[in-house]
Amino acid sequence: MLRGGGRGAAAVLRRAAAGGRAASGGGQGQDPGQGQGSGSARPQPLEPSLLRFLVCPLSKRPLRYEEATHELINEELGIAYPVIDGIPYMIPEAARTTRKKPPAEGSEQP
């Protein structure tokens, strides 16, 4: 499916995984579940080099990473996929709507 590009993506993922372990101290003295939903640990951002490989599963268009909210944004569809502990959850059901729906025609009463 990815052919030649798959090897590059795999290398980026391996580097991101190795970097994540190094940043957390190799897991020594830490509870493996710590940092997930605790609020005290700072969320791990997405590896920037992954953006060139990631596209929206619905539109197949590139995504923009919003570091403030840790989300991958598809502005065309108005949806945002969460990035949790540096891992993008690009399941359409996990995405949230980023813009309000326009009011339906005829719903406005004068």
Side-chain angles (χ1 to χ4, degrees), residues 82-98:
V83 175
I84 303 170
D85 293 328
I87 301 168
Y89 287 87
M90 296 172 55
I91 303 166
E93 293 81 15
R96 71 173 181 87
T97 305
T98 60

Side-chain angles (χ1 to χ4, degrees), residues 4 8-10 19-20 22 25 38 40 42 45 47-48 58-59 72-73 78 86-87 91-92 99 103 106-107:
S38 66
S40 61
R42 194 178 140 169
E47 175 68 33
L58 297 174
S59 69
L72 289 167
I73 311 290
I87 301 168
I91 303 166
R99 57 181 163 203
S107 65

Side-chain angles (χ1 to χ4, degrees), residues 4-91:
R7 282 179 258 141
V12 169
L13 289 171
R14 280 193 297 273
R15 280 195 305 272
R21 273 188 252 115
S24 67
Q28 296 172 348
Q30 272 192 340
D31 179 13
Q34 186 178 9
Q36 293 183 349
S38 66
S40 61
R42 194 178 140 169
Q44 184 178 358
L46 179 74
E47 175 68 33
S49 58
L50 286 177
L51 276 177
R52 66 181 177 194
F53 298 108
L54 299 175
V55 295
C56 176
L58 297 174
S59 69
K60 309 297 187 249
R61 307 285 263 167
L63 298 163
R64 176 180 59 84
Y65 180 59
E66 182 62 50
E67 193 168 353
T69 59
H70 299 283
E71 294 176 319
L72 289 167
I73 311 290
N74 179 328
E75 294 181 17
E76 179 181 310
L77 296 180
I79 56 176
Y81 297 99
V83 175
I84 303 170
D85 293 328
I87 301 168
Y89 287 87
M90 296 172 55
I91 303 166

